[in-house]
Amino acid sequence: MRAEAGTGTLGKAMAVLEAVVTADGPQRFTDILARSGQPRGTLHRLLSHLVEEGLLVQRRDLSYEPGLRLLTLAYRSWSANRFRDIAEPHLRRLHELTGETVHLGILRETEIVYVDKVESRQTVRMSSQIGKASPAYCTGIGKAALSLLGPAELERILARTEFHVFTPHTHRSAATLLAEIEDIRRDGHAFDREEHEAEIRCVAAPILIPGSELAAGLSVTGPAYRVTMEQLSAWAAAVRAAAQAVGEDAAIRLGPGRGGP
Amino acid sequence: MRAEAGTGTLGKAMAVLEAVVTADGPQRFTDILARSGQPRGTLHRLLSHLVEEGLLVQRRDLSYEPGLRLLTLAYRSWSANRFRDIAEPHLRRLHELTGETVHLGILRETEIVYVDKVESRQTVRMSSQIGKASPAYCTGIGKAALSLLGPAELERILARTEFHVFTPHTHRSAATLLAEIEDIRRDGHAFDREEHEAEIRCVAAPILIPGSELAAGLSVTGPAYRVTMEQLSAWAAAVRAAAQAVGEDAAIRLGPGRGGP
DNA sequence: AATACAGTTCCAAATAATGGAATACGTTAT
DNA sequence: ATAACGTATTCCATTATTTGGAACTGTATT
């Protein structure tokens, strides 16, 4: 497990929590012991505290799994998120125009976190993937959001990015990515040319969230067999317009005062 | 703010986090100072740690709001939740049968937390309200789940319950609730007769989650103008059957070994 | 019964948290 | 300009919590 920063006890607790949450099944004490590298005594107390707080639950067989408190906290913060609320009608409109799935995402470090989604097919899980985090360097919204950053911040993020190769089209280094980011700045929109998932393409545009120093974006995504690059290019103007509209709405309704993303 | 238990530093941090998350807008330092009752120095360090961990975000105007890490953690634990996964097809089947909204909920202390939902109308927010917590004593799933508890646990929960009156039909005391819980144990299903929200009724059945010591339930909910008590009674057998099926599936696929809710 | 393994408890030492007070910052009023 | 105010931040000696190795308990396994 990664070394935790200068966040003292809280950092350790969160690292342990993360270790349990990212594992695929219930974790026994020894599993977590190995994953976390904490000494036995310390880990035991940490786990008790996490259970007492409802962040973890202990099963009858003593193994640990995520507790419901996380879900409740996330629900509260999600439904109080004014930025998402403001963006929603614009996402809907874009979905009606294109018939394809529309995403709203916010950049956090090297990842893009999806905070809303509008889609046709009802087959869907959760709001399918609200809260899901994907690498920024190989997703449309991610690259769009990166294009908003200043040089120093961009460099810091890229230095931390691991260029994992997902498909033949995935960027393999910062060099090619930086070149594309130049294009994105010029054009005002970004494409995902099957870089993260094969057979999945998207066109995205950046949004600056006023008040917070957050970089966000929205996108239209579709399967390659149905959505050609020409089709995406044709939608680009509408995507830029929607992003712009969200930004303006947010500037008015969030501003420096009450309420925020 | 409620006094935090013996969870040391983590408890304080979570209390502060909760204070920010439950507030309706971004909170300034002084707001949180008043709400949390922590001394200035302590609170300031706590907030920095929460921000460093990504649990809070600080805006340009210095106010604090929920960070994205909560959403990501919740997403991971939700999508890895095998109990929800197992229940899902049964919820879907029940939805197809009734045409009304179907919920899956798990009891946590005095509240029922919704962990999945299947509904027709696509107008919906988030998975509308996954992660939302409602009082157990006035909801169908809540009362169904309470009926699974032993006397000691039930008493402990009821002692902590505040009987807030939401509608003319809301239980006003433990006495009437306990009487109804007897009925629920006998019948195997529970009704919500517009007790939490006016014009909203539901029929629910309890599920015992094996492995965890969790009490859960599922329900069919509809608006009073469309769903009569007779209709709900007619659905009760199907709801019981679905709950039973989820329980059996879970017993097989969760068991004492790998994987869990 | 003996052995191995997993989880829990203990406690002196180390460390991080504490919190009151002083300081810096930004804003509005004089 | 300058003063006055409200707010956020930093400081640091004290204190309480965390730390973590080791001993202990309980439960399977041979």
Side-chain angles (χ1 to χ4, degrees), chain A residues 8-9 28-30 40 44 62:
Chain A
T9 310
R28 289 167 316 171
F29 182 83
T30 339
R40 303 173 75 79
H44 192 265
L62 302 182

Side-chain angles (χ1 to χ4, degrees), chain B residues 150-224:
Chain B
E153 181 71 355
L154 183 56
E155 189 175 3
R156 191 183 66 81
I157 299 281
L158 292 188
R160 289 176 161 223
T161 299
E162 291 177 29
F163 289 83
H164 182 73
V165 178
F166 294 101
T167 79
H169 304 93
T170 311
H171 279 289
R172 283 165 160 72
S173 72
T176 58
L177 178 59
L178 276 168
E180 192 189 345
I181 286 177
E182 283 307 312
D183 297 344
I184 296 168
R185 286 198 176 119
R186 185 193 60 221
D187 302 338
H189 59 254
F191 294 107
D192 171 354
R193 302 171 175 85
E194 308 183 45
E195 295 161 43
H196 185 36
E197 282 184 75
E199 301 300 317
I200 299 288
R201 294 181 177 137
C202 93
V203 54
I207 311 171
L208 247 178
I209 306 183
S212 316
E213 276 155 350
L214 300 178
L218 54 75
S219 68
V220 174
T221 306

Side-chain angles (χ1 to χ4, degrees), chain A:
Chain A
M1 166 174 302
R2 63 130 194 252
E4 63 280 343
T7 45
T9 310
L10 179 64
K12 285 206 184 69
M14 291 303 298
V16 169
L17 178 60
E18 187 105 28
V20 175
V21 168
T22 55
D24 29 61
Q27 296 291 102
R28 289 167 316 171
F29 182 83
T30 339
D31 300 333
I32 308 171
L33 189 65
R35 281 183 150 239
S36 72
Q38 298 289 341
R40 303 173 75 79
T42 303
L43 181 61
H44 192 265
R45 178 176 37 76
L46 240 30
L47 286 168
S48 328
H49 284 178
L50 287 166
V51 168
E52 275 190 76
E53 285 295 327
L55 296 166
L56 291 178
V57 172
Q58 189 162 24
R59 292 160 48 106
R60 260 201 294 278
D61 65 0
L62 302 182
S63 63
Y64 297 87
E65 56 187 6
L68 291 174
R69 185 151 180 212
L70 280 174
L71 209 58
T72 307
L73 283 167
Y75 169 73
R76 290 226 202 85
S77 59
W78 186 86
S79 54
N81 185 315
R82 300 227 18 245
F83 174 66
R84 193 219 73 248
D85 200 46
I86 288 165
E88 207 246 335
H90 299 281
L91 305 185
R92 231 165 252 292
R93 212 165 300 141
L94 203 49
H95 169 67
E96 276 156 28
L97 175 70
T98 61
E100 298 292 343
T101 301
V102 176
H103 280 111
L104 178 69
I106 300 179
L107 186 70
R108 184 187 58 200
E109 291 294 308
T110 65
E111 293 181 317
I112 200 79
V113 177
Y114 296 106
V115 296
D116 210 349
K117 177 170 187 171
V118 178
E119 64 191 328
S120 23
R121 280 312 197 87
Q122 176 60 339
T123 332
V124 198
R125 321 275 341 110
M126 175 88 160
S127 268
S128 28
Q129 41 203 53
I130 286 177
K132 182 176 180 182
S134 297
Y137 74 96
C138 61
T139 52
I141 299 184
K143 292 187 291 184
L146 288 177
S147 80
L148 293 171
L149 301 181
E153 181 71 355
L154 183 56
E155 189 175 2
R156 190 182 68 80
I157 300 280
L158 292 188
R160 289 176 160 222
T161 299
E162 292 177 29
F163 288 84
H164 182 71
V165 178
F166 294 100
T167 79
H169 303 92
T170 310
H171 280 288
R172 284 165 159 72
S173 71
T176 59
L177 178 60
L178 277 168
E180 193 189 345
I181 286 176
E182 283 307 312
D183 296 344
I184 295 168
R185 287 198 175 117
R186 186 194 59 221
D187 301 337
H189 59 254
F191 294 108
D192 171 352
R193 302 172 175 85
E194 307 184 43
E195 296 161 42
H196 186 35
E197 282 184 73
E199 301 301 316
I200 298 289
R201 294 183 178 134
C202 93
V203 54
I207 312 169
L208 247 178
I209 306 184
S212 315
E213 276 153 350
L214 300 178
L218 54 78
S219 68
V220 175
T221 306
Y225 74 85
R226 195 163 63 206
V227 177
T228 61
M229 288 305 299
E230 287 70 41
Q231 177 62 270
L232 287 183
S233 294
W235 284 336
V239 171
R240 286 200 308 272
Q244 172 115 18
V246 170
E248 284 167 6
D249 265 27
I252 295 165
R253 293 170 57 189
L254 299 183
R258 294 289 83 199

Side-chain angles (χ1 to χ4, degrees), chain B residues 1-201:
Chain B
M1 169 176 301
R2 64 131 193 252
E4 63 279 342
T7 46
T9 311
L10 179 63
K12 283 205 184 71
M14 290 305 297
V16 169
L17 178 59
E18 188 104 28
V20 175
V21 168
T22 54
D24 31 60
Q27 297 290 103
R28 290 168 314 171
F29 183 83
T30 343
D31 300 333
I32 308 170
L33 189 65
R35 283 185 147 234
S36 71
Q38 299 288 341
R40 305 175 74 77
T42 302
L43 180 62
H44 192 264
R45 180 177 33 76
L46 240 29
L47 287 169
S48 327
H49 286 177
L50 287 166
V51 167
E52 275 189 76
E53 285 295 326
L55 296 166
L56 292 178
V57 172
Q58 190 162 25
R59 293 160 46 107
R60 260 202 293 279
D61 66 359
L62 302 183
S63 63
Y64 297 87
E65 56 187 6
L68 291 174
R69 188 155 178 208
L70 280 175
L71 208 57
T72 308
L73 282 168
Y75 168 74
R76 289 226 203 85
S77 59
W78 186 86
S79 55
N81 185 313
R82 298 223 23 242
F83 174 67
R84 193 219 74 248
D85 201 45
I86 288 165
E88 208 249 335
H90 299 281
L91 305 185
R92 230 167 253 293
R93 212 165 300 139
L94 203 51
H95 169 67
E96 277 157 28
L97 175 72
T98 61
E100 297 293 343
T101 301
V102 176
H103 280 111
L104 178 69
I106 300 179
L107 186 70
R108 184 188 58 200
E109 292 294 309
T110 66
E111 293 180 317
I112 200 81
V113 178
Y114 297 106
V115 296
D116 210 348
K117 177 169 186 171
V118 178
E119 64 191 327
S120 25
R121 280 313 197 85
Q122 176 59 339
T123 333
V124 198
R125 319 277 341 112
M126 176 86 162
S127 264
S128 26
Q129 42 203 52
I130 286 178
K132 183 175 178 179
S134 296
Y137 76 94
C138 62
T139 52
I141 300 185
K143 290 187 291 183
L146 287 176
S147 79
L148 294 172
L149 302 180
E153 181 71 355
L154 183 56
E155 189 175 3
R156 191 183 66 81
I157 299 281
L158 292 188
R160 289 176 161 223
T161 299
E162 291 177 29
F163 289 83
H164 182 73
V165 178
F166 294 101
T167 79
H169 304 93
T170 311
H171 279 289
R172 283 165 160 72
S173 72
T176 58
L177 178 59
L178 276 168
E180 192 189 345
I181 286 177
E182 283 307 312
D183 297 344
I184 296 168
R185 286 198 176 119
R186 185 193 60 221
D187 302 338
H189 59 254
F191 294 107
D192 171 354
R193 302 171 175 85
E194 308 183 45
E195 295 161 43
H196 185 36
E197 282 184 75
E199 301 300 317
I200 299 288
R201 294 181 177 137

